[in-house]
Amino acid sequence: VPNAEDELIRRIRRRVPSARGGGLHVGIGDDAAVIRPRQGNEWVLTCDQFLEGVHFLRDVYPPDAVGYKALARATSDIGAMGARPRFFLLSLCLPEKLAGSWLDGMANGMARAARQYGLTLAGGDTARSAPPNPCVGLDLTVLGETRIGRAVGRTGARSGDALFVSGTLGASQLGLELIRQGLSRKKRWRKLLQPHFYPKIATELGRWLAERQLVSAMMDISDGLSTDLYRLCAASRGGARIYEDRLPSVAVSSDLAAAGLDARSLALHGGEDYGLLFAVRKRHIPVIPKVFRGHRITRIGEIVAGSEVTVVARGKSSSLAPLGWDHFRKSN
Ligand SMILES: [Mg+2]
């Protein structure tokens, strides 16, 4: 009798890159992976959960979007440290009835993200999600590689540094709002869901900035600019001032604005865009490009003394509340 779990692993392996090489000496099929970094390099590690009902709704998400986004969002943190994504481990919890074509679709999406970001699957674990509440759960551990000492954290920003973001702010949240309002199945809005289902992460930009030592602090924007900027400021013991009219906000058409969608609050508080937020010393500002491999780069403000984060709109400055995504907020 063929072992069902082994068959499930074979299904994933057939799709997701998992070949040895490039430092991976022992991979899937043994008890544990054996991986060696290149000389002069060190590992950067992160893990990230993607859970049905918490992070995604299975009746809304295409299966390949579940696989793509789960790996992309985990890998985003590696890029935000300035490291190069290399290997990942997948812990998968799955209801039995999804072990066929749903699993294949999920693995296809994950494979696409793995190829796009240069990742090899080095191992993992699978479990059956049992009644009464069988849900999909993915937990991704991603390893990145960087030159020793070159990883960029959140703590190095200083007063006077310029603040930049990459990509568009609020595009993923716009997709989520369309889903929430029941508009996601309409053909005319379908394209607006792409940034929510398949976020394009900026790992190569993060690496480029870190290797040239152009950034004093960097992070990815996963929970919304307002919330993540607070985190960067707190870690660097500074404040920030940003300018509303400079924000690379998602475009909101007039009919969607009439449905209550507001570009300003999507840009300030919308989560899951996975662009980079980074601080740059004055002397390096001229070196920062306007676009990097398709990722638009925008200077949105500066780090200031103190601890307050303010937003300037029409000449008026007001305090910016961190209203992005918060799993443990009481009102959620
Ligand atoms: Mg992050």
Side-chain angles (χ1 to χ4, degrees):
V1 181
N3 182 290
E5 186 178 8
D6 291 348
E7 171 53 26
L8 198 144
I9 293 165
R10 266 194 293 276
R11 283 185 101 104
I12 295 171
R13 279 195 82 174
R14 268 204 293 274
R15 292 170 171 83
V16 181
S18 62
R20 282 168 212 186
L24 179 66
H25 298 284
V26 178
I28 297 174
D30 220 303
D31 295 311
V34 179
I35 307 177
R36 195 179 300 158
R38 276 160 233 194
Q39 191 159 26
N41 282 7
E42 57 191 347
W43 295 120
V44 175
L45 274 94
T46 184
C47 67
D48 192 66
Q49 299 181 71
F50 198 54
L51 308 176
E52 179 182 349
V54 178
H55 301 101
F56 71 95
L57 298 171
R58 189 156 49 80
D59 57 350
V60 176
Y61 269 62
D64 75 317
V66 173
Y68 185 93
K69 188 168 175 178
L71 184 54
R73 45 183 272 148
T75 306
S76 175
D77 282 323
I78 296 293
M81 298 298 290
R84 178 183 171 194
R86 297 296 315 278
F87 303 102
F88 71 107
L89 305 172
L90 165 65
S91 247
L92 176 65
C93 190
L94 199 68
E96 205 170 359
K97 63 170 185 175
L98 300 183
S101 66
W102 189 93
L103 175 70
D104 291 346
M106 188 284 287
N108 284 336
M110 185 167 282
R112 189 155 71 84
R115 280 187 214 101
Q116 199 169 338
Y117 302 120
L119 285 157
T120 301
L121 180 61
D125 186 38
T126 54
R128 186 165 67 99
S129 173
N133 186 24
C135 287
V136 177
L138 295 93
D139 185 50
L140 277 304
T141 298
V142 184
L143 279 84
E145 204 172 355
T146 182
R147 303 296 298 169
I148 290 174
R150 287 292 168 86
V152 181
R154 301 176 179 182
T155 59
R158 296 291 172 264
S159 175
D161 287 0
L163 274 172
F164 290 82
V165 295
S166 75
T168 303
L169 296 173
S172 176
Q173 189 76 30
L174 176 63
L176 179 60
E177 296 298 334
L178 293 175
I179 292 168
R180 282 180 175 161
Q181 298 198 15
L183 299 168
S184 61
R185 292 188 200 277
K186 296 204 175 155
K187 203 176 166 193
R188 58 189 295 223
W189 306 126
R190 210 171 284 161
K191 212 180 136 205
L192 299 179
L193 299 177
Q194 296 297 304
H196 186 69
F197 287 154
Y198 310 98
K200 295 270 175 291
I201 59 170
T203 51
E204 287 185 335
L205 171 61
R207 217 173 110 205
W208 186 86
L209 292 165
E211 278 175 358
R212 281 156 191 78
Q213 298 181 287
L214 296 172
V215 283
S216 55
M218 181 158 66
M219 67 185 296
D220 63 332
I221 307 174
S222 54
D223 294 339
L225 176 64
S226 62
T227 293
D228 287 326
L229 179 54
Y230 259 97
R231 291 177 173 144
L232 188 134
C233 286
S236 287
R237 298 167 184 271
R241 185 192 303 121
I242 61 171
Y243 301 89
E244 196 180 299
D245 61 1
R246 291 193 200 165
L247 298 179
S249 308
V250 65
V252 174
S253 60
S254 54
D255 41 359
L256 288 179
L261 292 167
D262 168 41
R264 175 189 185 272
S265 73
L266 290 172
L268 284 174
H269 310 301
E272 297 198 313
D273 284 319
Y274 302 107
L276 295 175
L277 168 67
F278 54 94
V280 175
R281 299 272 195 264
K282 273 190 182 122
R283 65 179 184 279
H284 294 316
I285 293 171
V287 191
I288 306 299
K290 297 262 181 288
V291 180
F292 183 93
R293 299 193 193 173
H295 296 272
R296 178 178 168 196
I297 300 174
T298 312
R299 188 175 167 186
I300 61 162
E302 56 267 339
I303 297 289
V304 298
S307 60
E308 204 188 359
V309 177
T310 58
V311 56
V312 179
R314 281 159 252 103
K316 271 198 190 149
S317 173
S318 55
S319 189
L320 178 65
L323 297 177
W325 179 252
D326 183 355
H327 272 288
F328 294 100
R329 186 182 293 152
K330 295 275 191 290
S331 61
N332 270 344

